Amino acid sequence: MSKKKKGKRKYNPEQQISHEKSPVKAKKHLGQHFLKDETVAQKIADTLSFYGYSDVIEIGPGTGVLTKYLLQKEMRLVAMDLDSDSIIYLNHSFPLEHLKLMQGKSTLEVIEADFLKYDLSSLFGEAQFAITGNFPYNISSQIVFKMLEIKEQVVEFSGMFQKEVAQRICEKEGNKTYGILSVLVQAFYDAEYLFTVPPHVFDPPPKVQSGVLRLTRKENFTLDCDEKLFFRVVKAAFNQRRKTIRNSLKTFELSDELRSTTIFDKRPEQLSVEDFIELTKKVAKDLG
């Protein structure tokens, strides 16, 4: 008598979700949506390569769902949150619940602080490190801008954003969603949109889909132009994105000769990162 072949079990994301009551209540004013899907948490932890660094900052650890998977690696982890309830839980209950992890090779330091205002040099000195997290959507773009200010130390950056923001950061020229963040990030990092995350894996569920990305710093991340001027040119161009470069850069008071070149006929979303670098060099030369 032949045995019936067992069919492959379909992956059911609901089976990977913890339905236990959260030890910390999500706060709307902090933009908190706690991840409760174990599979997604592990996938985010696995985005880090640990190539050239062993120090990691996790922004917005919440209930520690991602934290526990990060601690399975070998690292020095600093978890940073503004929520005092989360800090108390991570400092007291979390270590007891995950005693085996806490006795491993990784170390965990929990800090109650605002990442956007914190002096990160006090954590790691001049050492290289990575940033990850399930980022509060209301400040996610600001987190990226802060990361760019310290890019000399940030080797990798990964985590959860609102889907549209994650896609915008990774977008290439020629698309409507391509903008300031796309150009500034991709000037220094290789950007990858990794996967989409549905609302039901969060507590409470957000009204939008989420997306996970990874940024890997380029081997040569020094621009072949004035970096401050590059930032100014990119921001000025996209602040009036419907206009041509000729019109959006009017405030730079450039010469008629430069303004007559073909690149000034284009709109900002038509220019690649390399085009913006070349444009910045032309502007610098024109300004003398």
Side-chain angles (χ1 to χ4, degrees):
M1 188 174 173
S2 61
K3 291 183 180 179
K4 286 184 179 180
K5 288 184 179 179
K6 289 184 179 179
K8 286 186 178 179
R9 292 180 66 188
K10 289 185 178 180
Y11 167 68
N12 180 1
E14 289 286 357
Q15 292 176 349
Q16 305 295 325
I17 297 173
S18 170
H19 294 284
E20 292 179 10
K21 191 175 179 181
S22 174
V24 181
K25 188 177 179 181
K27 297 170 182 61
K28 190 174 181 180
H29 74 279
L30 292 177
Q32 290 176 327
H33 297 277
F34 293 144
L35 179 65
K36 54 182 183 176
D37 188 298
E38 302 287 332
T39 302
V40 173
Q42 181 148 28
K43 285 173 73 175
I44 295 174
D46 289 343
T47 60
L48 299 180
S49 71
F50 297 97
Y51 182 74
Y53 67 91
S54 58
D55 297 329
V56 178
I57 294 176
E58 181 190 358
I59 299 172
T63 58
V65 174
L66 172 58
T67 311
K68 68 184 178 187
Y69 287 103
L70 291 170
L71 289 172
Q72 290 178 16
K73 318 282 183 180
E74 192 171 338
M75 69 168 82
R76 178 190 169 197
L77 178 63
V78 174
M80 189 175 291
D81 207 305
L82 264 175
D83 185 2
S84 57
D85 290 341
S86 181
I87 297 298
I88 292 168
Y89 169 72
L90 291 171
N91 270 325
H92 300 286
S93 300
F94 181 84
L96 296 175
E97 292 171 15
H98 303 283
L99 188 61
K100 190 175 178 181
L101 282 177
M102 304 308 292
Q103 292 175 338
K105 293 182 179 179
S106 292
T107 63
L108 173 64
E109 181 181 356
V110 182
I111 297 176
E112 184 176 354
D114 183 346
F115 172 80
L116 299 176
K117 298 175 182 177
Y118 199 82
D119 178 13
L120 298 175
S121 64
S122 65
L123 292 178
F124 306 128
E126 297 180 0
Q128 302 285 287
F129 61 90
I131 296 172
T132 193
N134 174 27
F135 306 121
Y137 295 160
N138 56 348
I139 60 164
S140 60
S141 294
Q142 295 174 61
I143 289 171
V144 175
F145 281 119
K146 172 70 181 281
M147 181 272 294
L148 288 173
E149 291 175 10
I150 52 172
K151 60 187 174 298
E152 288 79 10
Q153 287 186 267
V154 182
V155 185
E156 279 185 324
F157 178 100
S158 70
M160 187 101 67
F161 289 79
Q162 183 176 327
K163 182 182 178 181
E164 287 74 13
V165 176
Q167 289 178 322
R168 187 181 306 132
I169 291 170
C170 301
E171 192 61 89
K172 296 297 181 184
E173 71 275 8
N175 294 283
K176 288 183 179 180
T177 53
Y178 179 75
I180 293 174
L181 269 180
S182 320
V183 177
L184 297 185
V185 168
Q186 293 176 44
F188 308 101
Y189 290 83
D190 293 320
E192 305 168 84
Y193 183 90
L194 300 178
F195 56 92
T196 300
V197 182
H200 73 265
V201 304
F202 297 93
D203 179 27
K207 294 179 180 179
V208 296
Q209 287 198 316
S210 304
V212 174
L213 60 71
R214 174 173 54 218
L215 308 178
T216 307
R217 196 178 61 196
K218 295 179 178 180
E219 262 189 56
N220 180 10
F221 60 95
T222 304
L223 299 187
D224 186 27
C225 66
D226 182 299
E227 188 178 302
K228 287 184 179 179
L229 184 58
F230 174 77
F231 273 65
R232 282 181 58 205
V233 168
V234 172
K235 288 179 180 179
F238 281 103
N239 279 339
Q240 300 184 66
R241 63 178 303 137
R242 293 184 180 181
K243 296 185 177 182
T244 63
I245 299 296
R246 183 176 294 109
N247 287 318
S248 58
L249 297 192
K250 264 185 179 179
T251 55
F252 284 77
E253 298 183 355
L254 302 169
S255 68
D256 291 338
E257 183 182 357
L258 178 59
R259 283 161 47 82
S260 67
T261 56
T262 55
I263 195 169
F264 280 80
D265 294 329
K266 296 184 177 182
R267 289 186 172 86
E269 68 267 19
Q270 295 176 288
L271 303 188
S272 66
V273 173
E274 292 72 24
D275 291 334
F276 271 109
I277 291 172
E278 288 305 312
L279 176 60
T280 302
K281 288 161 73 173
K282 292 177 187 292
V283 170
K285 186 177 180 181
D286 193 73
L287 293 176

